[in-house]
Amino acid sequence: MESNHALADNDEFANRPARQPDYASESAGLVRLAAAQMGPRANLLQEIADVALSVCNAGSAGISLVEGTGDSRHFRWLAVAGRCADLRGKTTAWDECPCAMTLEARTPQLFIRPQDEFPCLRFLGVDVAEGIVVPIPTTDTPLWAIWVMSDEEGRQFDLEDVRLLSNLAVFAGAALTVVDARDSGIENDQRHNEFIAMLGHELRHPMAPIGSAVGAAARLCADNAKAVEVLPSHDGS
């Protein structure tokens, strides 16, 4: 089937007037995201989706993550805002989702009436006029995508939306890297502390019978000076 999507470098966006940037709103959104990095990863993802919804004046927005490998690859909607917020946690097959085309192209993509081509986007009561999907740069192989959808026929995205969403994608990639590294460090510290506690517990208990055995041997060999000399003292020295 021929794809029904338009790329940002063709005539589709060129024919649309781009609105003036609202740098104050954009800056306020970035401040929110900077603060969200201090909290749990899930909250950060949701905050990114909320900001995308706001700055792009979209009907819905979200972040999708690739899960699985090979033929079992699929996308999970880890954060969703707007009309489709109840679909948080939804999964879509790799070859049935516009996010796959975006990650393979590694460039922002505009999808016009995506529900005609992607059945997974046919939601009850939501008519998706168009959507933008942008890959989130986190690794050599992109695993994340951020997206916005319009459910109003008169709301068309423009190059300003592409710029905003692309900037959010870069921020999201950097923030996820920092948060994942932080959480990994905390987990490693917890595992280290648990290991030390377990080791201390295991070492304490075997030493008791060993100490008793040394004491008994010392008593049995009390009249053998050489044997007593090679045995450790009963007090552990």
Side-chain angles (χ1 to χ4, degrees):
M1 178 185 297
E2 183 178 355
S3 176
N4 187 37
H5 68 283
L7 300 180
D9 60 358
N10 68 12
D11 294 336
E12 185 62 38
F13 278 122
N15 293 331
R16 298 180 179 183
R19 70 185 190 281
Q20 290 297 313
D22 184 353
Y23 294 120
S25 177
E26 183 179 358
S27 296
L30 292 177
V31 170
R32 286 171 55 188
L33 296 184
Q37 291 183 81
M38 303 298 292
R41 185 174 185 258
N43 290 1
L44 170 63
L45 292 173
Q46 187 58 45
E47 194 71 29
I48 294 171
D50 290 341
V51 170
L53 181 80
S54 175
V55 298
C56 291
N57 190 26
S60 298
I63 294 178
S64 298
L65 168 68
V66 179
E67 294 182 340
T69 58
D71 294 338
S72 66
R73 284 183 302 175
H74 59 273
F75 290 92
R76 184 174 299 280
W77 299 16
L78 292 185
V80 186
R83 288 281 300 277
C84 295
D86 290 342
L87 296 175
R88 187 179 299 112
K90 173 182 173 64
T91 60
T92 53
W94 173 270
D95 56 357
E96 297 176 2
C97 183
C99 291
M101 298 178 65
T102 302
L103 295 190
E104 289 173 345
R106 294 175 179 255
T107 58
Q109 306 249 344
L110 170 67
F111 295 86
I112 302 174
R113 300 215 56 84
Q115 290 170 316
D116 296 342
E117 184 176 354
F118 301 99
C120 67
L121 299 182
R122 294 171 187 167
F123 316 124
L124 182 63
V126 180
D127 184 24
V128 182
E130 58 183 49
I132 300 176
V133 185
V134 177
I136 295 177
T138 52
T139 62
D140 292 337
T141 302
L143 298 176
W144 299 80
I146 184 171
W147 47 267
V148 291
M149 295 189 296
S150 169
D151 51 27
E152 298 179 9
E153 200 64 44
R155 173 64 177 106
Q156 291 185 319
F157 294 116
D158 55 34
L159 285 174
E160 175 61 8
D161 295 304
V162 175
R163 183 189 72 81
L164 288 166
L165 208 57
S166 296
N167 286 349
L168 279 177
V170 172
F171 185 96
L176 284 167
T177 299
V178 171
V179 170
D180 286 347
R182 179 202 66 193
D183 292 348
S184 177
I186 292 174
E187 183 178 357
N188 287 339
D189 286 344
Q190 290 175 338
R191 289 180 178 176
H192 176 266
N193 292 337
E194 290 171 359
F195 173 76
I196 294 300
M198 178 273 294
L199 186 62
H201 174 78
E202 295 298 327
L203 287 179
R204 264 198 314 273
H205 290 279
M207 292 305 294
I210 292 175
S212 298
V214 170
R219 288 191 295 273
L220 290 173
C221 301
D223 58 348
N224 189 326
K226 288 186 177 181
V228 172
E229 183 180 349
V230 298
L231 285 171
S233 63
H234 187 48
D235 61 6
S237 61

